[in-house]
Amino acid sequence: MAGKRKHIRRVSSEIRLLESELRETESSVSAELQSDEAEALQRAKLQERATQAFRQHEEAKACLGEMNKRIPSLVRRKDLSDDQQTQLSKIVQGASVAANRLLRIDDAKSQILKQLEDAHALCDSLKDLGSYRDHTVLHALNGLANTKTKHASGVPLEPEVFDQLRAVAHETMDLSVSHNNTRVRLHHCLRVVSTMLLDLDTVKIDVIEQQLAELEEQLA
C-alpha cells in the first residue's frame, strides 16, 4: 500500500514537472510568435518605404532624361550673356552630379531588393516554424491533460507516456534554436535595408529643372 502511494506521488510529481516545463515552453513560443508578427510588420513597412523611394528615383531619372535632351541646344548657343553662361554651367554641373547620384541609387536598389526578398522568405520560415512549434506544444499539453485525467481516475500509466510527452517538449525547445537563428538572419536583412534607405540620396531634380526652365524662358 505504501509502495502504491509512493508511486502515485512520484507520478503526480512527474506530471507537475512536465506541465511546468510545457507551460513555460508555451509562454516562450507565444512571445516569439508575437515577436515574429512585429518583424513581419517591420518588413512590410520597409518594403513600402523602398517602393516609394524607388518610384521617386524613377521619376527623377525620367526628368533628368528630358533635361539632357534640352541642355545641348543651349550649350550650342553663341548668344548667351556671361550671367546666362554661368547659369547654364551650374545647370550642366547639377545634372552631372544628379546623374552620378542616380547611378549610386541604381546600385543600392538591387541590394535593397535582394535583402527584402531574403527578408520575405525568412518571414515565411519564421511563420512556419512558429506555427509548427505552437501546434506541437498544444499537442503535448492535450496529451498531458489526458494523462492527468487517467491518473486521477486511477488508470496505471506506462513510463512511455511521459517519455513521449517529454520528447515532444524537447522537440519544441530544440526548434527554438532554428527559430532564433532564422530571426537573427531576418534582423540582419532588415537592419541592412533600413540603413541603406536612410543613406539613400534624394536627388532634387526639380530644383535643376526649374533653373533650366527659367533660362529657357529668358532665351525664348
Side-chain angles (χ1 to χ4, degrees):
M1 190 69 174
K4 184 177 181 180
R5 286 197 298 270
K6 183 177 180 180
H7 173 73
I8 291 174
R9 286 197 300 269
R10 183 182 64 79
V11 172
S12 297
S13 176
E14 185 85 8
I15 289 174
R16 287 194 299 272
L17 181 63
L18 190 53
E19 182 171 24
S20 175
E21 182 179 343
L22 286 172
R23 290 300 180 189
E24 183 178 350
T25 302
E26 180 187 34
S27 177
S28 174
V29 170
S30 178
E32 290 179 10
L33 286 175
Q34 292 180 10
S35 177
D36 293 346
E37 290 177 359
E39 300 289 353
L41 180 60
Q42 183 184 0
R43 186 208 64 80
K45 288 181 177 178
L46 285 174
Q47 180 76 58
E48 185 178 345
R49 282 177 55 194
T51 299
Q52 181 179 2
F54 296 154
R55 183 171 58 251
Q56 293 173 346
H57 169 61
E58 292 302 321
E59 291 172 353
K61 285 173 64 176
C63 183
L64 182 62
E66 287 299 316
M67 288 170 54
N68 284 335
K69 294 177 182 178
R70 293 152 56 189
I71 289 175
S73 62
L74 297 179
V75 173
R76 291 191 297 268
R77 292 189 61 153
K78 305 297 183 182
D79 58 341
L80 272 64
S81 67
D82 290 345
D83 183 57
Q84 290 170 337
Q85 188 63 55
T86 298
Q87 292 179 54
L88 180 58
S89 295
K90 289 181 179 179
I91 291 169
V92 171
Q93 182 180 10
S96 176
V97 170
N100 288 332
R101 287 183 177 176
L102 289 171
L103 284 175
R104 288 201 299 271
I105 292 175
D106 277 332
D107 292 338
K109 180 180 179 180
S110 61
Q111 296 180 52
I112 290 173
L113 288 174
K114 176 62 169 62
Q115 292 293 335
L116 284 172
E117 182 180 347
D118 290 347
H120 189 280
L122 289 168
C123 279
D124 287 343
S125 295
L126 281 180
K127 185 177 180 180
D128 291 341
L129 275 169
S131 296
Y132 180 73
R133 292 182 69 204
D134 188 46
H135 171 78
T136 302
V137 74
L138 287 177
H139 175 69
L141 284 169
N142 287 334
L144 181 62
N146 292 333
T147 300
K148 289 170 67 176
T149 300
K150 291 179 180 179
H151 179 59
S153 302
V155 177
L157 300 174
E158 298 296 330
E160 290 79 6
V161 172
F162 295 102
D163 291 340
Q164 292 171 0
L165 289 173
R166 196 174 292 107
V168 173
H170 288 169
E171 179 188 10
T172 306
M173 292 305 295
D174 289 342
L175 285 172
S176 177
V177 177
S178 297
H179 206 153
N180 186 63
N181 289 341
T182 303
R183 189 179 293 108
V184 168
R185 291 168 60 197
L186 176 59
H187 282 170
H188 172 73
C189 289
L190 296 181
R191 185 167 58 250
V192 170
V193 171
S194 182
T195 300
M196 293 188 74
L197 285 176
L198 286 174
D199 292 341
L200 212 60
D201 287 333
T202 301
V203 183
K204 299 296 185 182
I205 292 292
D206 54 338
V207 175
I208 307 172
E209 202 281 332
Q210 178 63 32
Q211 294 171 346
L212 177 60
E214 290 175 356
L215 181 57
E216 289 174 328
E217 186 177 351
Q218 293 176 27
L219 298 171

